[in-house]
Amino acid sequence: AQSVAQPEDQVNVAEGNPLTVKCTYSVSGNPYLFWYVQYPNRGLQFLLKYITGDNLVKGSYGFEAEFNKSQTSFHLKKPSALVSDSALYFCAVRVLMDSSYKLIFGSGTRLLVRP
Amino acid sequence: SQTIHQWPATLVQPVGSPLSLECTVEGTSNPNLYWYRQAAGRGLQLLFYSVGIGQISSEVPQNLSASRPQDRQFILSSKKLLLSDSGFYLCAWSELAVEQYFGPGTRLTVT
């Protein structure tokens, strides 16, 4: 079955430290992978995507993600966390189902950056 | 640039009442459109998607329905709301079936 897993419900990190939010996927074929961020009572904001090319993808707000085909992972990273990065993060993968492309989302990881 | 609007932002409705949520997209043509529900601030459930006017696909059988009367308008409806319909409803659009862009959402509370 095609799926996305975010193994951590919450990640805690101190401001200024590097952060990693984990994501693994299971799809057939070459994956299209995405990261989104959601602030309270807001819609999801697109951060970055991997389709093909360099395994390290750079996105908005200083975030980047590393695609690892052998480990079927797409972890989100940032070298230096900010308190304002505290939010809910979703990983997603595009799948073809019923002749249409759809996104399957992970369950979300809450990032808490403490001052 | 493209923008997506949803209204209302919040809604409190009694059980058994009708529902109509509206989503419109500006700055693009023939987008794919999606309705999601998010419960308890976590996972997203795809409810409906549309690849064109009048073309609606349902993901989950329930008492909700969707319509796309115009190219950039997507409406979520119900004839009779249930308590379990409470949640955060998100509309999204995409071009070329790649990344999706989300609206601000509607918080629905059924009492």
Side-chain angles (χ1 to χ4, degrees):
Chain A
Q2 302 183 98
S3 63
V4 174
Q6 293 181 243
E8 304 154 315
D9 277 349
Q10 184 163 313
V11 169
N12 299 307
V13 64
E15 188 174 31
N17 284 359
L19 69 88
T20 299
V21 183
K22 296 179 180 177
C23 172
T24 59
Y25 65 90
S26 174
V27 296
S28 52
N30 294 321
Y32 283 25
L33 296 158
F34 309 86
W35 274 103
Y36 287 83
V37 60
Q38 185 181 31
Y39 295 96
N41 296 310
R42 301 289 184 92
L44 278 67
Q45 294 180 35
F46 169 72
L47 280 178
L48 50 81
K49 66 183 176 186
Y50 172 82
I51 295 177
T52 187
D54 288 342
N55 289 341
L56 187 63
V57 178
K58 294 189 183 296
S60 306
Y61 312 120
F63 284 94
E64 56 191 27
E66 186 169 12
F67 171 66
N68 188 315
K69 188 172 184 177
S70 63
Q71 297 186 7
T72 62
S73 67
F74 189 55
H75 300 333
L76 182 70
K77 300 181 179 184
K78 189 173 183 181
S80 178
L82 300 173
V83 172
S84 57
D85 292 330
S86 298
L88 187 57
Y89 290 81
F90 290 97
C91 181
V93 63
R94 190 183 81 163
V95 298
L96 180 61
M97 292 172 59
D98 302 325
S99 302
S100 295
Y101 286 110
K102 303 169 191 175
L103 292 186
I104 295 179
F105 287 85
S107 56
T109 298
R110 193 164 303 279
L111 173 66
L112 181 61
V113 182
R114 59 184 184 277
Chain B
S1 65
Q2 300 89 354
T3 56
I4 178 169
H5 305 279
Q6 285 187 246
W7 64 89
T10 60
L11 191 59
V12 180
Q13 292 284 94
V15 168
S17 63
L19 174 73
S20 181
L21 303 181
E22 189 165 345
C23 169
T24 60
V25 182
E26 296 176 356
T28 185
S29 295
N30 197 31
N32 292 345
L33 295 171
Y34 308 84
W35 277 113
Y36 290 87
R37 178 169 57 204
Q38 184 179 29
R42 280 290 183 168
L44 290 154
Q45 180 186 35
L46 179 61
L47 301 175
F48 302 95
Y49 67 93
S50 171
V51 298
I53 296 175
Q55 299 178 63
I56 309 294
S57 296
S58 173
E59 288 293 300
V60 182
Q62 54 200 332
N63 70 320
L64 298 173
S65 62
S67 62
R68 184 170 178 174
Q70 300 180 44
D71 181 44
R72 290 168 287 178
Q73 184 184 32
F74 205 22
I75 296 172
L76 183 69
S77 303
S78 174
K79 292 183 178 178
K80 288 186 178 182
L81 283 168
L82 306 173
L83 284 174
S84 58
D85 292 324
S86 293
F88 193 49
Y89 288 83
L90 291 160
C91 181
W93 71 273
S94 72
E95 285 180 340
L96 305 176
V98 190
E99 66 266 24
Q100 294 178 16
Y101 295 93
F102 286 78
T106 295
R107 173 76 59 193
L108 172 66
T109 303
V110 183
T111 61

